[in-house]
Amino acid sequence: SPVHQAIEAKLCLPGGRFILNAEGALWKILRKDMTSLAHMWSVLSYFNIAPTSHTFELNMDRAHLIYEIIMKKDMDLGTMISSQITQIDQSN
């Protein structure tokens, strides 16, 4: 989709892209494929916004969050954090 292409263009180094899951859906961006700015914001988000132990990649939600931060867009941070907490609860 155009949104995901824009996120890739802003967060990935040349040649970097979203990794697909087994069903062929967009899944994550590996740290080695991130720009320095995307990596910096990802580290900040891991430790200060929505903690996670998976710091070597950006899942779709976090990639979208970082894209919106870099592009200075308005966002509902509370809803994003709430959805991540719900995902953690469901996986336990």
Side-chain angles (χ1 to χ4, degrees):
S1 80
V3 171
H4 296 116
Q5 290 172 348
I7 292 172
E8 277 182 345
K10 198 66 170 174
L11 303 185
C12 294
L13 295 168
R17 347 185 20 94
F18 279 104
I19 303 292
L20 304 180
N21 66 13
E23 290 82 36
L26 298 174
W27 183 29
K28 64 185 177 181
I29 298 173
L30 298 177
R31 181 169 59 182
K32 70 179 183 75
D33 292 330
M34 288 182 231
T35 64
S36 296
L37 183 60
H39 183 254
M40 179 201 66
W41 277 109
S42 69
V43 169
L44 178 71
S45 76
Y46 295 141
F47 296 107
N48 295 298
I49 298 173
T52 183
S53 60
H54 301 287
T55 60
F56 294 103
E57 60 201 39
L58 286 178
N59 65 21
M60 288 298 298
D61 289 338
R62 199 167 300 257
H64 193 80
L65 167 70
I66 292 174
Y67 174 77
E68 290 189 0
I69 289 170
I70 290 172
M71 298 304 292
K72 299 179 181 168
K73 295 187 176 220
D74 289 334
M75 68 186 101
D76 184 350
L77 189 57
T79 299
M80 190 279 303
I81 292 171
S82 177
S83 72
Q84 292 213 347
I85 290 170
T86 302
Q87 290 173 7
I88 290 168
D89 287 344
Q90 290 173 355
S91 67
N92 290 331

